[in-house]
Amino acid sequence: MIFSAIAFALMGSVVKYLSTFNVYQVVFFRSVGTLLFTIPLVLKARVAFFGTNKKWLIIRGVTGVISLTCFFQSLNYLSIGTAVSLRYTAPIFAAVFALFFLKEKIKPIQWLLFFIAFLGVLIIKGFGTDVEFLGLFFVILSAIFLGVIFVVIRKIGNTEHPLVIINYFMLMAFTFGGLMSIKYWEQPSLIEWVLFISTGVFGYFGQLYMTKAFQAEETNLVAPIKYLEVVITIIIGTFWFGDIYNGWTLLGILLILSGLIYNIYIKRKST
């Protein structure tokens, strides 16, 4: 999970560095880098390339593209650490969607923890350093659709191979990003080509090692380690991009992480 957190943090940081390019072009290259791994692996696994639950796979792909695009767009307005922290509010929306669509119950203590996490969002917006409303809008929208993704994947369950689910997402991102970026295309330099492709590589290995972590150990042990990504991105943001995080921003991030990590503990303890 530590390797996964590092990979996702590096992916987000490279995307932040490439934010001078149009977001659609970034989405396109993000998908290319991952498809280089997923397509051969799906073919090697000899599973149905387009899956069986096509409706839910398409919904997962579309919501994934929206969430990814909104997150990348938010990096044009927010520091990398703040954006990643705010996107981690997704479990709140996932729990609410699961309550209505999957009839999963939410304990009173979980509502309190969600409130604490959301209070962190309000503190960051109200007292954080240079938190633009447009950036906040995009990253919360990204978190909402990420919450939908969690519920859709739960709905799909074990009926589809994980690689097929990822492949659907990346193929749709490739199509959407490719078509939308035609109008805004800028020719990357050699270094920028490498960085663009690296976003997909980092994204793939982040997903791979996260999956391996959940397969190797209990969820309540490894899941909180995923939030190490926030710490890593704050460090990268400070030294690479010169981001400044005041005390209020750090307090907001702490409330978000505390509320969501303890929620994982409570949820797993009751299962």
Side-chain angles (χ1 to χ4, degrees), residues 4 25 35 46 51 60-61 68 73 78 97 101 103 125 132 169 186 194 198 202 214 218 225 246 252 258 264 269:
S4 173
Q25 194 169 346
L35 286 172
R46 295 185 178 180
R60 189 269 179 264
L68 185 70
Q73 189 70 274
L78 302 173
F97 292 139
F101 297 108
K103 307 303 179 185
K125 176 62 184 83
E132 295 188 34
F169 170 31
E186 295 180 40
V194 173
S198 75
F202 287 137
F214 283 122
E218 294 180 7
I225 302 175
N246 63 13
S258 299
I264 294 172
K269 190 177 179 181

Side-chain angles (χ1 to χ4, degrees), residues 160-187:
E160 296 289 352
H161 194 288
L163 282 172
V164 173
I165 299 175
I166 297 172
N167 211 44
Y168 250 86
F169 170 31
M170 288 294 100
L171 285 171
M172 289 191 174
F174 174 82
T175 305
F176 172 78
L179 291 175
M180 294 298 291
S181 64
I182 292 174
K183 182 180 178 181
Y184 307 98
W185 187 270
E186 295 180 40
Q187 186 63 27

Side-chain angles (χ1 to χ4, degrees), residues 34-257:
T34 299
L35 286 172
L36 292 174
F37 292 94
T38 58
I39 289 179
L41 288 172
V42 169
L43 294 174
K44 182 180 179 181
R46 295 185 178 180
V47 294
F49 192 85
F50 292 105
T52 53
N53 299 287
K54 292 181 176 60
K55 181 183 77 171
W56 290 109
L57 286 168
I58 290 172
I59 293 173
R60 189 269 179 264
V62 171
T63 51
V65 171
I66 295 173
S67 179
L68 185 70
T69 304
C70 288
F71 175 61
F72 286 174
Q73 189 70 274
S74 73
L75 294 177
N76 292 324
Y77 306 95
L78 302 173
S79 63
I80 179 70
T82 301
V84 170
S85 302
L86 293 172
R87 195 175 189 233
Y88 269 120
T89 57
I92 300 175
F93 302 108
V96 174
F97 292 139
L99 173 66
F100 288 102
F101 297 108
L102 301 179
K103 307 303 179 185
E104 294 183 0
K105 295 181 180 180
I106 302 177
K107 293 183 176 183
I109 183 65
Q110 287 181 277
W111 285 114
L112 175 61
L113 293 171
F114 289 155
F115 173 76
I116 291 172
F118 197 72
L119 182 62
V121 176
L122 297 179
I123 289 175
I124 290 173
K125 176 62 184 83
F127 303 101
T129 304
D130 297 328
V131 179
E132 295 188 34
F133 174 78
L134 200 56
L136 183 67
F137 169 78
F138 278 121
V139 79
I140 294 298
L141 193 61
S142 174
I144 291 171
F145 278 96
L146 188 56
V148 175
I149 291 167
F150 292 159
V151 175
V152 171
I153 290 177
R154 182 72 178 268
K155 182 75 175 178
I156 294 173
N158 295 320
T159 61
E160 296 289 352
H161 194 288
L163 282 172
V164 173
I165 299 175
I166 297 172
N167 211 44
Y168 250 86
F169 170 31
M170 288 294 100
L171 285 171
M172 289 191 174
F174 174 82
T175 305
F176 172 78
L179 291 175
M180 294 298 291
S181 64
I182 292 174
K183 182 180 178 181
Y184 307 98
W185 187 270
E186 295 180 40
Q187 186 63 27
S189 66
L190 179 61
I191 296 297
E192 288 166 342
W193 273 100
V194 173
L195 290 174
F196 267 125
I197 297 299
S198 75
T199 61
V201 176
F202 287 137
Y204 170 75
F205 281 104
Q207 189 71 45
L208 174 67
Y209 283 113
M210 183 175 68
T211 303
K212 286 182 176 291
F214 283 122
Q215 290 174 333
E217 291 289 348
E218 294 180 7
T219 301
N220 61 349
L221 176 64
V222 297
I225 302 175
K226 180 171 173 53
Y227 291 91
L228 183 64
E229 180 187 346
V230 176
V231 178
I232 297 171
T233 52
I234 288 175
I235 294 172
I236 293 174
T238 301
F239 290 98
W240 188 0
F241 301 107
D243 293 337
I244 299 174
Y245 303 90
N246 63 13
W248 287 109
T249 300
L250 294 176
L251 174 61
I253 292 172
L254 180 63
L255 289 175
I256 293 172
L257 298 185

